Amino acid sequence: MKLRYRALLLVVALVGFAVACASEGGGDELGPDDTTTTAAPRTTVADTTTTTAAPRTTAADTTTTTSVPEDSTPQEDPQSSAPAGLVTPTGIPVAVLGRSETGYLVRTPCGNTAEVSKGVFINGARVVIDPGHGGPVDTGAIGPNGLIERDLNLTLSRAILDELASRGISAVSTRTGGYGTLLSVRAALANDLGVDALISIHHNAPTWAISRSPGSEVFIQSESISLPRADSARLGGLLYEEITAALATFDNVTWSKAANAGVLRVLSSNGTDAYGMIVRPTVPAVLVEYGYLSNPSEAALFATDEYIRVAATATADAIDAYLHTDRPGTGFIQRPRIFDPQRAPSFCEDPPLE
């Protein structure tokens, strides 16, 4: 019985490791295709299990920074066009597909079409923040201290949204709780809203070489097989510059770093951008790996309120500079990384919308 139990534990551990490492670095989104099933247990928007010390925020808290009252039914000429997006009464940001007789047709987190009677319009959002991973299966990396990337990404994203709001920069999140959301839906929300920038938030694994400086990476879009997209590259360079400088202020941290860490493109073997959250958006987009959750020293840091505050401020500083200055950023790596992410099934069940 003990041998059988140990064998079962080994299988579970191997499955978890495979999920974490199915994409390069473990914290990156998988390739451009979504493969969806609905066999996973239902996860409601209240099921966030953030393991950092940051205050718990439920998904009922709207993450749009527009000033529409949360409890209002949108007042609009019935013959006018529908808004591009809204936050549902349960706090789920969704793109609006059109009007219905009693409300709005929306695209759900799992890519289905549903009807909601009302919501808070997302008007004039300039930025979309994407907390990477989500749901009971797509946890992302898991640190040696038990910190789950899915939850860490969400906590940091909320702090970034708060910091942007304090600066008057309107922003919205692709998810507001522990539920899963398809890559295609995340990208489509940014595209439909026509924002100026999409930033996907991640923390990396497995651990690479030990370093004296942070091993942050920012993946950017391609203009062609030989050239990066200029606006994505500038956004990535500013994020890399601000984030690495801010993280370097932490003492007594043993960092992990890849040899070619910096601002770079990751291409599949056919020459296209490898990651779904880079290739799918038509708006300027980047994917940020702040550090290595698999590294015990960094995982301990990531579990603190101070890290969340510092990382959120640095991210907002970069976004602010991207929107309001012509600074070019730093850290550019000219040679692309070649990698073919594995396609993995994504278990997705829609949370209640109202």
Side-chain angles (χ1 to χ4, degrees), residues 141-148 204-205 207 292-300 302:
I142 300 177
N145 57 353
L147 185 58
I148 301 174
N204 226 332
T207 305
Y292 285 82
L293 183 55
S294 56
N295 178 10
S297 184
E298 294 181 60
F302 297 157

Side-chain angles (χ1 to χ4, degrees), residues 316-328:
D317 285 343
I319 294 170
D320 203 343
Y322 176 75
L323 295 175
H324 301 123
T325 77
D326 58 359
R327 281 173 49 196

Side-chain angles (χ1 to χ4, degrees), residues 140 153 225 246 252 316 328:
N153 295 342
I225 191 171
N252 302 317

Side-chain angles (χ1 to χ4, degrees), residues 18-338:
V19 169
C21 299
S23 57
E24 182 188 45
D28 305 332
E29 294 287 8
L30 299 180
D33 295 328
D34 292 318
T35 304
T36 311
T37 67
T38 55
R42 186 175 186 85
T43 302
T44 68
V45 292
D47 287 337
T48 53
T49 54
T50 303
T51 55
T52 65
R56 182 181 178 90
T57 307
T58 68
D61 297 323
T62 180
T63 56
T64 179
T65 56
T66 53
S67 57
V68 181
E70 291 185 27
D71 58 352
S72 66
T73 299
Q75 300 297 314
E76 192 175 0
D77 182 346
Q79 301 305 315
S80 66
S81 61
L86 58 79
V87 179
T88 75
T90 54
I92 310 298
V94 292
V96 175
L97 304 177
R99 289 184 174 275
S100 66
E101 291 184 0
T102 58
Y104 300 90
L105 296 175
V106 302
R107 183 187 300 115
T108 71
C110 294
N112 299 309
T113 299
E115 183 177 354
V116 296
S117 61
K118 61 181 180 179
V120 181
F121 287 173
I122 301 174
N123 291 320
R126 300 196 67 184
V127 178
V128 164
I129 301 296
D130 172 50
H133 306 285
V137 174
D138 186 12
T139 62
I142 300 177
N145 57 353
L147 185 58
I148 301 174
E149 185 193 355
R150 169 198 62 201
D151 304 329
L152 174 59
N153 295 342
L154 183 60
T155 298
L156 178 54
S157 294
R158 286 170 173 164
I160 294 169
L161 289 164
D162 288 343
E163 183 63 29
L164 291 174
S166 73
R167 304 177 188 214
I169 299 173
S170 57
V172 66
S173 180
T174 59
R175 69 178 175 95
T176 52
Y179 56 89
T181 306
L182 297 182
L183 303 188
S184 57
V185 172
R186 299 170 193 244
L189 179 64
N191 294 340
D192 291 343
L193 296 178
V195 295
D196 296 314
L198 165 64
I199 299 94
S200 192
I201 308 299
H202 290 264
H203 293 79
N204 226 332
T207 305
W208 290 89
I210 298 303
S211 169
R212 294 182 179 179
S213 59
S216 307
E217 297 182 327
V218 184
F219 303 136
I220 60 175
Q221 294 166 306
S222 295
E223 182 68 32
S224 67
I225 191 171
S226 58
L227 292 174
R229 177 172 167 171
D231 47 10
S232 175
R234 190 170 78 86
L235 174 60
L238 290 167
L239 285 161
Y240 181 82
E241 181 178 335
E242 296 289 350
I243 290 168
T244 53
L247 295 186
T249 63
F250 286 106
D251 296 326
N252 302 317
V253 178
T254 301
W255 302 98
S256 177
K257 190 173 186 178
N260 62 344
V263 183
L264 69 157
R265 295 182 297 144
V266 180
L267 304 181
S268 62
S269 55
N270 65 9
T272 60
D273 289 323
Y275 296 123
M277 289 309 295
I278 295 297
V279 72
R280 285 180 177 274
T282 57
V283 301
V286 300
L287 189 153
V288 183
E289 298 280 6
Y290 287 77
Y292 285 82
L293 183 55
S294 56
N295 178 10
S297 184
E298 294 181 60
L301 172 66
F302 297 157
T304 66
D305 287 335
E306 184 67 5
Y307 166 73
I308 297 298
R309 183 188 68 79
V310 169
T313 300
T315 304
D317 285 343
I319 294 170
D320 203 343
Y322 176 75
L323 295 175
H324 301 123
T325 77
D326 58 359
R327 281 173 49 196
T330 59
F332 300 102
I333 305 297
Q334 297 302 319
R335 187 183 184 91
R337 188 179 294 172
I338 305 300

